[in-house]
Amino acid sequence: MKPIEIFCKNTNSTHLYPMGTSLLEISKDLNIKSKNTICGAIVNHKVKELSFCVVKPKHIEFIDVSHPDGVRMYIRSLIFVLYAAVKEVFPHVSLKVQNGISNGYFCELPGLEREISASDIFSIKQEMKALIDANIPFVKKGIVTSAVIDLLVKQGLDDKAQLFEQQGHLYTHLYFLNDWGDFFYGSLLPSTGYITNFGLVPYFDGLLLQIPRRKHFKQLRKIELHPKLFGVFQEQKDWAEILNVSTVGGLNDFTLQGKSGDIIKISEALHEKKIAEIANQISARNGNVKVVLVAGPSASGKTTFSKRLGVQLAVNGMRPYQISLDDYFVDREHTPKDEQGEFDFEALEAIDIDFFNKQLIELFAGKEVRLPKFDFHSGRREPNGATLKLGEGDILIVEGIHGMNPGLLTEVHNGNTFKIFISALTQISVDEHTHISTADNRLLRRMIRDFNYRGYRAADTIKRWPSVRKGEEKNIFPYQENADIMFNSATIYELAVLKKYAEPILKMVLENQPEYIESTRLLEFLSYFKPISDLEIPPTSLLREFLGGSSFVY
């Protein structure tokens, strides 16, 4: 039988192997060196498990847990171990992975029907360690879907079963850890023994599953308490209960029943109610608030939120004026640079703090000022913006990523400010064990907006995304708890709407492009959603900022 030609990126060499050789066998034969244990591979720009066998010529790159896809494999496998441990210790208790927070994953134990004790956590953790020490393989099996559904229901994984029922596939694959079956969209590690570090600690009324640092895997990520953010996630749970939708399967059920319009109307009404409540809080401060700061990460909907808040403030008898921090950029030659020598437009020093504060003080003193306008083509700030003079009842809404940073307003008393942090905190999960990353939600929004309005293809947006995320981790998220209030700009229905727009854009990414890895992952994720039409989304919706059709002028 003719051997298969394999090119290995790690060794930059080509080799011949018999058809059916596994990636694990190839990695051992090539003696791949890595800082951490090899856990999988990128094969023709698709993530594959080490058990994958080659039958055609392939381009292979072996990855460890420091690679983004290696991290995902590690987390999925760790959650499976946590689930198996919970079922071994408490057979009648379920595991619900709610969301990523505080550098870990917040989990609940439905069915426990009492507070989680330190003894409970110790028992679960000891069982996890026993499963890891036993080095049990994660076995992937292709099974008739009807049998998969029966097994999942028997284990109490009704959300997963519902999702499989809706997909309509004859066969599907399921992972097994001993006798426990589970499903994840994405690959797992070869065995439990590959899990070398984790933590499990109490967190509010649940558990926090701790994961290692990417570049220092022997260290766990530091826990940072985020009470305000946690409160928003709890509010999100309440909204999901109001709508009776907490998972993709539940949302699909409404869509299949022709009731998606109801979900849209209620979701948008909840947004409007929340924005009105925020406007009422600002108004209740008896005119002390002079400036409202709106900050948040990329594609969180800051601009539309600011405009909708302005409408609600006007309803309360105030006259809002909007200012963008982008117009206060320093001239290009003064822009700070990052460690790669590239302009760092997301650094606080990229803003002319002194000039910004000077204009605010003059406005609060009743003086007329000419606002600047930054020309992004020339890289210079021009004094050709509108003139502005504040009177009684006037209020400024300042939108920009640095709004929560205490270094922004150096001359303004804190009592004269109201800070709002906004982000798209996805309100549903794929199933009991698979939360939806808020970063994925924002990436899809940004991808659609970039394609429709900025001339970027999906590959361009995907390529820039790690840099965007790095800037957010450095300049935005560390200050989010400084907010007076947080606003969740995500809606329960939106991913089912984004699907129609995102899929054709993602399919334009070619197999020979490095971004193909991420595009295929996102396409698989979106495949679980039944599409929802955007016809009933109102023109004032935050989603219109990305889809088009907004009644606001940007």
Side-chain angles (χ1 to χ4, degrees):
M1 190 177 293
K2 188 177 180 180
I4 305 296
E5 184 176 277
I6 300 297
F7 174 78
C8 179
K9 184 177 178 181
N10 307 79
T11 60
N12 195 32
S13 57
T14 301
H15 304 268
L16 296 176
Y17 287 98
M19 182 182 293
T21 305
S22 72
L23 293 177
L24 181 60
E25 291 171 323
I26 295 173
S27 69
K28 289 181 177 179
D29 180 66
L30 296 180
N31 193 25
I32 302 297
K33 300 295 183 182
S34 179
K35 183 178 179 181
N36 300 295
T37 305
I38 297 296
C39 63
I42 308 297
V43 179
N44 290 4
H45 289 152
K46 288 185 178 179
V47 181
K48 297 292 183 182
E49 290 144 329
L50 291 179
S51 59
F52 177 80
C53 297
V54 297
V55 295
K56 295 180 181 179
K58 300 291 183 183
H59 182 289
I60 296 173
E61 178 188 1
F62 290 99
I63 60 173
D64 65 15
V65 288
S66 65
H67 188 280
D69 286 291
V71 172
R72 292 189 181 103
M73 295 174 78
Y74 191 94
I75 292 170
R76 293 184 199 110
S77 305
L78 180 57
I79 288 172
F80 197 174
V81 169
L82 173 59
Y83 166 64
V86 168
K87 297 303 289 185
E88 292 292 343
V89 176
F90 302 108
H92 302 296
V93 171
S94 303
L95 172 70
K96 177 72 173 177
V97 181
Q98 289 287 10
N99 43 257
I101 192 172
S102 296
N103 290 322
Y105 293 88
F106 174 66
C107 307
E108 294 179 331
L109 300 179
L112 188 61
E113 297 180 351
R114 60 174 171 79
E115 288 187 8
I116 300 171
S117 68
S119 175
D120 296 333
I121 296 174
F122 178 80
S123 298
I124 294 170
K125 194 171 182 180
Q126 289 301 110
E127 182 63 31
M128 291 177 72
K129 288 180 177 178
L131 291 169
I132 291 168
D133 290 342
N135 194 25
I136 304 165
F138 294 106
V139 181
K140 185 178 181 179
K141 297 181 181 179
I143 308 174
V144 174
T145 302
S146 57
V148 169
I149 292 170
D150 291 342
L151 176 63
L152 293 174
V153 170
K154 184 179 179 181
Q155 289 184 197
L157 299 175
D158 296 330
D159 293 335
K160 290 180 186 283
Q162 182 185 35
L163 201 58
F164 277 118
E165 212 164 12
Q166 293 167 347
Q167 298 307 300
H169 299 311
L170 183 59
Y171 279 85
T172 191
H173 70 262
L174 206 63
Y175 289 98
F176 286 87
L177 174 53
N178 287 335
D179 294 327
W180 298 109
D182 209 340
F183 171 80
F184 301 87
Y185 80 93
S187 303
L188 299 187
L189 300 172
S191 65
T192 59
Y194 280 67
I195 297 172
T196 56
N197 194 13
F198 75 95
L200 195 67
V201 296
Y203 192 86
F204 291 96
D205 57 346
L207 307 168
L208 188 73
L209 180 63
Q210 293 178 271
I211 59 176
R213 297 172 62 185
R214 265 184 61 185
K215 295 184 178 179
H216 304 281
F217 217 73
K218 292 183 179 180
Q219 301 174 10
L220 292 175
R221 297 183 186 181
K222 182 181 177 182
I223 297 175
E224 298 174 355
L225 290 178
H226 296 141
K228 292 178 182 176
L229 182 61
F230 184 77
V232 176
F233 277 123
Q234 293 303 100
E235 182 182 62
Q236 150 199 317
K237 280 177 56 181
D238 295 339
W239 286 16
E241 289 176 8
I242 290 171
L243 291 161
N244 196 28
V245 177
S246 60
T247 63
V248 173
L251 177 62
N252 288 343
D253 224 21
F254 273 89
T255 304
L256 294 169
Q257 294 174 39
K259 296 181 179 179
S260 57
D262 296 340
I263 298 291
I264 292 174
K265 293 181 182 73
I266 297 172
S267 296
E268 293 296 333
L270 285 168
H271 263 184
E272 195 63 32
K273 180 180 180 181
K274 185 69 177 179
I275 295 171
E277 288 173 354
I278 294 172
N280 290 341
Q281 288 187 44
I282 296 169
S283 302
R285 294 199 179 180
N286 299 318
N288 289 328
V289 176
K290 303 294 184 183
V291 56
V292 177
L293 297 162
V294 179
S298 175
S300 56
K302 297 184 291 293
T303 304
T304 303
F305 172 83
S306 297
K307 292 180 181 297
R308 285 179 65 171
L309 178 63
V311 171
Q312 290 294 339
L313 290 171
V315 169
N316 287 358
M318 307 178 80
R319 288 184 297 278
Y321 294 93
Q322 295 193 6
I323 293 178
S324 173
L325 273 180
D326 287 356
D327 286 322
Y328 288 86
F329 274 132
V330 297
D331 290 342
R332 188 66 43 84
E333 62 266 25
H334 301 303
T335 303
K337 294 185 178 181
D338 60 20
E339 50 269 28
Q340 280 79 42
E342 301 291 332
F343 287 120
D344 188 357
F345 296 107
E346 296 187 337
L348 180 63
E349 292 75 20
I351 303 293
D352 191 336
I353 301 295
D354 292 339
F355 180 60
F356 176 62
N357 279 267
K358 176 177 176 291
Q359 286 214 320
L360 289 186
I361 295 301
E362 289 176 347
L363 285 168
F364 297 160
K367 296 180 181 179
E368 183 177 87
V369 303
R370 180 169 292 279
L371 301 174
K373 195 72 177 174
F374 192 83
D375 187 326
F376 286 88
H377 293 291
S378 67
R380 307 194 72 80
R381 189 176 68 232
E382 306 292 344
N384 58 1
T387 58
L388 178 61
K389 182 178 181 180
L390 298 181
E392 189 70 27
D394 292 348
I395 188 170
L396 290 175
I397 300 177
V398 178
E399 174 212 332
I401 65 171
H402 297 293
M404 304 300 107
N405 192 321
L408 178 67
L409 297 183
T410 57
E411 304 295 330
V412 179
H413 189 273
N414 195 49
N416 296 135
T417 68
F418 191 93
K419 301 183 182 73
I420 304 169
F421 187 83
I422 173 174
S423 191
L425 307 174
T426 318
Q427 297 180 24
I428 60 174
S429 301
V430 174
D431 54 50
E432 296 94 336
H433 302 158
T434 312
H435 85 294
I436 296 175
S437 165
T438 61
D440 283 350
N441 199 152
R442 293 190 293 108
L443 174 56
L444 289 168
R445 283 181 173 187
R446 178 167 172 144
M447 191 182 303
I448 293 166
R449 183 179 63 190
D450 283 356
F451 183 81
N452 289 336
Y453 303 110
R454 300 178 181 180
Y456 296 139
R457 292 178 177 267
D460 299 321
T461 304
I462 291 171
K463 184 178 181 179
R464 290 184 176 91
W465 192 239
S467 176
V468 171
R469 295 279 289 129
K470 185 178 179 181
E472 292 170 350
E473 294 293 341
K474 178 182 178 182
N475 299 306
I476 301 176
F477 293 125
Y479 307 107
Q480 61 186 356
E481 288 289 322
N482 291 339
D484 292 292
I485 198 164
M486 291 187 175
F487 179 81
N488 183 6
S489 69
T491 60
I492 282 180
Y493 69 83
E494 76 169 89
L495 288 165
V497 172
L498 295 179
K499 174 188 174 88
K500 179 181 75 172
Y501 291 87
E503 281 185 335
I505 301 172
L506 287 166
K507 288 176 181 177
M508 294 170 68
V509 181
L510 304 178
E511 187 179 6
N512 63 359
Q513 295 179 284
E515 295 76 25
Y516 189 73
I517 305 169
E518 188 71 346
S519 69
T520 52
R521 182 184 72 82
L522 292 171
L523 281 168
E524 183 177 357
F525 162 60
L526 289 170
S527 71
Y528 298 107
F529 289 86
K530 301 297 181 185
I532 292 177
S533 169
D534 64 343
L535 291 177
E536 292 196 56
I537 300 177
T540 55
S541 171
L542 274 81
L543 260 191
R544 288 294 176 195
E545 182 176 329
F546 309 96
L547 302 179
S550 177
S551 57
F552 293 114
V553 178
Y554 296 101

